[in-house]
Amino acid sequence: MKLMDGFDSNYRYILVAARRARQLQGGAPPVIETHSRKPCRIAQDEIKAGKVKWMIPDAQSPTEIASEILDKALGPE
């Protein structure tokens, strides 16, 4: 499978498409005109048309998390 434009991995593309398909199944209206009735295909068409926005949340590294936990556990020095 070719890497889609704007995605850092095929896995992320699948996650975004699956989440949008779940929204469509839950009653969200499609944002583009399409001939398909299947939510997964509609989600893929919306992504291809650039109508689905997504972002990667800023996450702390495991080292930063461990440091914060230790600081809380040990208290101020």
Side-chain angles (χ1 to χ4, degrees):
M1 178 176 197
K2 183 182 162 234
L3 188 63
M4 291 291 295
D5 291 335
F7 287 92
D8 57 341
S9 69
N10 287 330
Y11 180 72
R12 184 152 337 267
Y13 169 74
I14 296 300
L15 290 177
V16 172
R19 179 168 289 180
R20 179 61 183 147
R22 274 187 246 116
Q23 291 174 348
L24 292 166
Q25 286 176 331
V31 294
I32 63 168
E33 287 292 323
T34 180
H35 297 292
S36 182
R37 294 180 294 140
K38 296 181 179 182
C40 189
R41 172 50 70 185
I42 295 169
Q44 291 174 353
D45 291 343
E46 289 177 347
I47 291 169
K48 186 182 271 189
K51 300 293 183 180
V52 176
K53 304 297 180 206
W54 60 275
M55 63 177 248
I56 302 172
D58 293 332
Q60 292 179 321
S61 70
T63 305
E64 292 171 338
I65 294 170
S67 176
E68 286 181 15
I69 292 171
L70 282 174
D71 289 344
K72 287 179 185 176
L74 297 175
E77 294 182 296

